[in-house]
Amino acid sequence: MEISLNLFTNIPNNFFSILSGNLKEVHTDLLYLVYEHYKKTIYVIEKDVVIDLFVEYLEINDDTDKYTENEEFIKDLRERAHHYLLKFCQHGWLYQEQYLDYRYRISIPDYSIRLLDTFEKISSGYQMEFSGTVLAIYQNLSGEAGSSYYAIQQAYENTVSLINGLKELNHNIKNYIEKLMEQDNAKEVLEQLFNEYNEKVLGRHYYRLKSSDNVSKYRTKTIDRVRNLRHQLHNIEAQAQIMVKEQFANTVTEAENMLFDWLEAIENAFENIYAIMREIDERNRKYHRAAITQINFHLNKSGNFTSMVNNILCFLANASKEGDSSFKNQIEDELEQFIELYTQQYIDGKSIKTINKRKQVIQQTPMKNRTVSEDVKNKKIKEYKQQLQNEITVQKVNKYVNTILTDRSSLNLSDFPFNNKEDYINMIFTVLHSTNNKATYLVKLKDEKIKHLDVEKGTIPNMEVEKREE
């Protein structure tokens, strides 16, 4: 099957070329300035206004070092601003037109507006507003005009936006899990968890989709309404004729296929929406488990033997990779028989680049049985029990939260005790374990406008802890 977008029949062939090269950041910044100003106007911008915007940008952001030998550098800022504007017009990003008063005005083509809007959302970490979307889809299909083609089209577009938003959210959580493993200390982990992750990834919108605007309220009703519309063949035919009359489709058959495709897409989306929401929940739990692991690692960095060995090996590996041979003098003679680091400049025997050879038979010699004294056994058992006792599990956190809440159904996180380091650790794990299925409580933002509160010994998230409904 042949598929062709015919993209360059609608946009110039050299449209994307300004997004490459050393000046790509300057180009995108200047285009964004025009786009920001364009949103505040009705239709067009005076050319002199655009030139002034470019000159002001160039005065603050020097682009001299970004020019190459093949690019002509213009010293005068205003002349350079005219050069950039001409370049954008030649590449199709902007359109310059002379009006009856002989003054030039700048407009942005439709395709350019859509791309600049996408660039803005990517740069700002835009998150779709899930709240009310499911209700809007149901209302489009069940209102007085719910059987009209434009109501079905609006419901279809909202459904596509909803599913795409959930897919983006699912992918973003995966990226943040990878980003979490790169944090160097517990403070950075907590800052990403409390600020960046909750605000930019999950946020308040997705939680509403699981609580007050729960998709289950309208899912069954929406599916039933869609199936009912699909069986109203007389209405489908009538709406198809209207679509042809209003030049939305060329033929009645084409219009009918469009209507059936829209309805089928809505039905499939709502039948399978729980699958992607379950995957998002699972990724969210993985993120919190990774956060717990990272925090445990950083908090116990100084006293945990595994962490100490890991730090030593990381240091030695990095030093060897950078070609620093001085570190070898720091290794005790007793350790040289266990640790041997060197730069390998040839393919080893296990590489797929070499031909497999018959493995050499190794003569095995039995080891002598070792006997461990009772004192050593008891000491190890005692250490293991102490380690289990120090581990902060979800059951311990549940008990801690129940002790704090007592008879209350909810309590602000700022009202928790913060007398010592242990209280702060309990607070941290209260938030981390809140997504666990075994947790007997929930944690949510108290106020969307006030995200942090100052307590006597620091700053904490403005969150509320409440008991789960049994």
Side-chain angles (χ1 to χ4, degrees), residues 3-213:
I3 299 177
S4 178
L5 289 175
N6 295 322
L7 179 64
F8 292 98
T9 60
N10 299 314
I11 63 175
N13 290 328
N14 60 346
F15 183 74
F16 294 104
S17 60
I18 67 170
L19 300 180
S20 60
N22 295 337
L23 290 168
K24 59 179 180 294
E25 294 182 356
V26 178
H27 291 158
T28 53
D29 288 347
L30 293 176
L31 284 171
Y32 183 71
L33 286 176
V34 180
Y35 174 68
E36 279 291 293
H37 198 82
Y38 191 79
K39 290 191 294 184
K40 301 174 184 177
T41 62
I42 298 177
Y43 176 55
V44 293
I45 312 174
E46 294 288 343
K47 179 180 179 180
D48 291 339
V49 174
V50 175
I51 297 299
D52 291 339
L53 288 173
F54 287 4
V55 171
E56 183 179 356
Y57 171 86
L58 294 173
E59 287 176 346
I60 301 173
N61 303 277
D62 185 18
D63 60 339
T64 305
D65 58 339
K66 294 182 173 60
Y67 277 80
T68 62
E69 296 179 356
N70 298 327
E71 294 173 317
E72 180 183 357
F73 178 73
I74 303 172
K75 294 183 179 181
D76 183 74
L77 291 181
R78 198 161 191 83
E79 188 178 350
R80 201 187 315 166
H82 279 278
H83 172 72
Y84 279 123
L85 178 57
L86 178 62
K87 183 188 294 187
F88 295 148
C89 293
Q90 290 175 343
H91 286 74
W93 284 90
L94 302 178
Y95 180 72
Q96 180 178 258
E97 185 177 4
Q98 187 178 25
Y99 280 64
L100 296 176
D101 57 0
Y102 300 104
R103 300 175 68 178
Y104 285 94
R105 291 176 175 85
I106 306 299
S107 60
I108 306 179
D110 57 344
Y111 55 83
S112 183
I113 289 179
R114 294 174 185 173
L115 280 172
L116 291 172
D117 180 64
T118 302
F119 293 163
E120 182 187 27
K121 290 178 179 179
I122 294 173
S123 300
S124 62
Y126 167 81
Q127 179 183 340
M128 176 187 171
E129 173 67 67
F130 295 114
S131 177
T133 305
V134 179
L135 175 60
I137 295 170
Y138 173 70
Q139 289 178 337
N140 284 331
L141 297 174
S142 59
E144 294 181 0
S147 59
S148 61
Y149 82 87
Y150 46 83
I152 298 174
Q153 181 194 15
Q154 187 65 44
Y156 165 73
E157 291 177 354
N158 286 336
T159 302
V160 172
S161 298
L162 174 64
I163 298 301
N164 287 341
L166 291 173
K167 289 178 180 178
E168 292 174 5
L169 177 62
N170 189 31
H171 179 72
N172 286 340
I173 297 177
K174 178 184 177 182
N175 289 340
Y176 270 83
I177 292 176
E178 296 174 355
K179 186 177 178 181
L180 182 71
M181 308 311 293
E182 300 174 358
Q183 305 303 328
D184 295 328
N185 52 62
K187 180 181 178 181
E188 293 180 359
V189 175
L190 293 174
E191 185 175 348
Q192 178 181 317
L193 174 65
F194 290 138
N195 296 337
E196 195 172 356
Y197 181 75
N198 283 331
E199 182 177 351
K200 293 185 179 180
V201 181
L202 286 183
R204 61 187 183 276
H205 311 312
Y206 181 70
Y207 285 122
R208 285 180 184 172
L209 200 62
K210 298 293 294 293
S211 55
S212 59
D213 294 330

Side-chain angles (χ1 to χ4, degrees), residues 59 124 126 140 143 171 176 181 213 225 232 308 323 329 348 351 379-380 384 407 438:
E59 287 176 346
S124 62
Y126 167 81
N140 284 331
H171 179 72
Y176 270 83
M181 308 311 293
D213 294 330
R225 179 60 179 162
Q232 295 178 7
M308 293 170 63
N329 299 327
D348 62 16
S351 173
K379 182 180 178 181
K380 292 295 182 182
Y384 179 69
D407 296 333
K438 297 180 181 180

Side-chain angles (χ1 to χ4, degrees), residues 167 169-175 177 197 276-290:
K167 289 178 180 178
L169 177 62
N170 189 31
H171 179 72
N172 286 340
I173 297 177
K174 178 184 177 182
N175 289 340
I177 292 176
Y197 181 75
I276 187 171
M277 292 181 68
R278 282 194 298 269
E279 186 172 349
I280 292 173
D281 290 338
E282 179 59 30
R283 286 191 188 275
N284 184 36
R285 284 191 286 269
K286 285 182 179 179
Y287 178 86
H288 281 81
R289 286 198 294 267

